[in-house]
Amino acid sequence: MKKHNFNAGPSILPREVIEETAKAVLDFQGEGLSILEISHRAKYFQPVVDEAVALFKELLNIPEGYSVIFLGGGASTQFCMVPFNLFEKKAAYLNTGVWAKKAMKEAKGFGEVVEVASSADANYTFIPKGWTIPTDADYFHITTNNTIYGTEILEDFDSPIPMVADMSSDIFSRPIDVSKYAIIYGGAQKNLAPAGVTFVIIRNDVLGKVSRYIPTMLNYQTHIDNGSMFNTPPVLPIYTALLNLRYLKAHGGVAAMEKKNIEKANLLYNAIDNSKMFVGTAQKESRSRMNICFVMKDEYKQYEEEFLKFATSKGMVGIKGHRSVGGFRASCYNALPIESVQALIDCMKEFEASKL
Ligand SMILES: *Cc1c(COP(=O)(O)O)cnc(C)c1O
């Protein structure tokens, strides 16, 4: 049976990217060696990193003066790496969910943290509005897509102080104005590559301004100066990221991805809004295109488990909602075909018709 992969992360990648990765695991570029057993210093690997960086810059239209680096440690390590490198006296955070809160927790270890706004009281069902960024903070941190709650910031704010964004789950899903950001980071396993590599895009001039000692591995400058080769980088995930970036370029880049992502999200949200049984959890103006969260209305709650079984029997994978929201979450990353969204909608309609 065909599987429809709605996993939240690690998540779906284009089939041809996976097949190309498999080939490289057996024989990397006809060298008679697996990519798993070559040195990252070998002549074959440097071009992989160089091309991946170049494609980041090209696809995201990254201006001059920025560096792109690949690290280990996941987005979670960035929660402390950002303050290590930027925090002098005070930082400001927009609290839009568990990931934002975890980032704030790490920053608090460095000094005063201002929570600019929060939707915690409403279980993070919306992106707060009407807040102002304090001009005396060292940086302002946002989480553009809240993977767990299905809310998303779809504009690139103006910020009077350096803006840092966790884009783990929506990078490459739409064109962004990188010039509005000082740092953009993310774990790659949502929309770019398999788990194991973290990307960081940094405006070079924000570094070098803090007075503390920064541990070598946590200092962005170390990795910029060494082209992501200071220590052994996650070789295989970087290679798969490169293949996916090539795929993105060949398929029209981020503008084409955005068009497709809007189409998929509209299709599913319309089905949810027109359903008698299901209801979306995020407020409409904050809805994410990447993670679409919905539950059964109170009067039908008892059917949630049965629907999950039914959908699973029809090939749906990974649609169980995060435990802090409940219900269902359909993650619709770039690689998810519109046919999978349609298959899920058919499933919802068939189930609803059988009960009402
Ligand atoms: C998944 C996720 C993280 C955590 O990423 P790791 O790579 O597992 O550390 C952080 N932020 C957001 C928005 C996420 O979706």
Side-chain angles (χ1 to χ4, degrees):
M1 178 184 34
K2 180 170 169 45
K3 297 279 168 120
H4 300 282
N5 186 355
F6 293 95
N7 278 326
S11 37
I12 188 165
L13 288 167
R15 189 68 205 172
E16 58 194 88
V17 166
I18 292 171
E19 281 167 7
E20 279 288 304
T21 301
K23 271 189 218 155
V25 167
L26 296 175
D27 184 358
F28 183 59
Q29 298 179 347
E31 295 284 345
L33 293 169
S34 165
I35 189 168
L36 303 178
E37 55 182 2
I38 57 164
S39 165
H40 61 292
R41 311 255 175 230
K43 66 177 191 308
Y44 344 96
F45 194 65
Q46 187 65 49
V48 170
V49 174
D50 293 347
E51 190 185 341
V53 168
L55 281 172
F56 252 80
K57 291 186 172 175
E58 182 184 337
L59 291 166
L60 294 176
N61 200 14
I62 300 177
E64 288 287 306
Y66 282 78
S67 298
V68 177
I69 53 176
F70 300 114
L71 308 171
S76 299
T77 300
Q78 294 308 304
F79 298 164
C80 78
M81 208 158 158
V82 166
F84 256 120
N85 285 267
L86 300 190
F87 197 120
E88 191 64 13
K89 287 198 212 72
K90 187 170 160 179
Y93 280 69
L94 184 64
N95 182 5
T96 52
V98 161
W99 296 119
K101 222 169 115 183
K102 287 186 175 178
M104 276 171 75
K105 175 177 179 288
E106 294 303 292
K108 281 176 186 165
F110 292 78
E112 187 189 350
V113 170
V114 180
E115 185 182 77
V116 166
S118 168
S119 49
D121 289 348
N123 197 29
Y124 300 115
T125 44
F126 62 93
I127 304 287
K129 282 206 187 98
W131 33 269
T132 41
I133 304 167
T135 51
D136 60 344
D138 300 310
Y139 65 89
F140 172 52
H141 181 283
I142 59 173
T143 311
T144 50
N145 185 63
N146 298 282
T147 324
I148 293 174
Y149 313 90
T151 64
E152 189 173 11
I153 297 169
L154 286 163
E155 63 183 301
D156 304 306
F157 296 127
D158 283 311
S159 171
I161 54 174
M163 185 160 65
V164 177
D166 175 356
M167 293 199 186
S168 292
S169 50
D170 60 351
I171 191 75
F172 292 109
S173 70
R174 67 172 175 97
I176 46 173
D177 181 353
V178 175
S179 72
K180 297 272 174 79
Y181 302 87
I183 294 182
I184 297 171
Y185 67 83
Q189 69 275 17
K190 311 280 165 57
N191 204 26
L192 178 62
V197 62
T198 309
F199 65 85
V200 189
I201 303 165
I202 313 167
R203 201 173 73 219
N204 299 322
D205 68 10
V206 295
L207 299 178
K209 293 187 175 157
V210 293
S211 45
R212 77 177 52 81
Y213 169 75
I214 307 171
T216 309
M217 274 298 286
L218 298 179
N219 192 333
Y220 288 125
Q221 201 63 55
T222 303
H223 302 284
I224 292 172
D225 292 346
N226 291 280
S228 301
M229 296 280 199
F230 173 75
N231 70 319
T232 318
V235 170
L236 186 69
I238 292 174
Y239 184 63
T240 307
L242 169 61
L243 296 174
N244 197 25
L245 292 167
R246 283 183 186 157
Y247 176 94
L248 279 178
K249 184 177 170 175
H251 288 80
V254 285
M257 292 303 133
E258 179 180 48
K259 193 163 166 276
K260 200 177 133 194
N261 290 331
I262 290 174
E263 233 179 286
K264 289 185 289 184
N266 284 346
L267 193 64
L268 185 48
Y269 280 125
N270 281 338
I272 293 167
D273 292 342
N274 290 321
S275 148
K276 290 194 180 69
M277 187 173 250
F278 298 96
V279 60
T281 54
Q283 289 190 9
K284 282 190 183 170
E285 65 279 10
S286 299
R287 281 175 164 178
S288 166
R289 292 173 189 154
M290 295 285 95
N291 312 96
I292 296 177
C293 297
F294 54 102
V295 294
M296 280 186 179
K297 292 179 181 169
D298 286 343
E299 59 268 42
Y300 304 116
K301 272 265 179 263
Q302 73 271 20
Y303 292 133
E304 281 194 345
E305 207 140 304
E306 194 183 333
F307 174 69
L308 199 59
K309 279 202 191 113
F310 176 74
T312 305
S313 77
K314 298 274 185 182
M316 306 302 134
V317 177
I319 61 159
K320 192 173 163 59
H322 189 277
R323 64 185 179 282
S324 56
V325 177
F328 314 100
R329 169 174 55 177
S331 296
C332 302
Y333 298 120
N334 284 348
L336 185 86
I338 198 158
E339 292 74 29
S340 289
V341 174
Q342 193 54 57
L344 175 59
I345 293 169
D346 293 345
C347 235
M348 291 160 70
K349 285 193 174 151
E350 190 181 336
F351 187 81
E352 191 171 315
S354 75
K355 297 293 177 193
L356 303 184

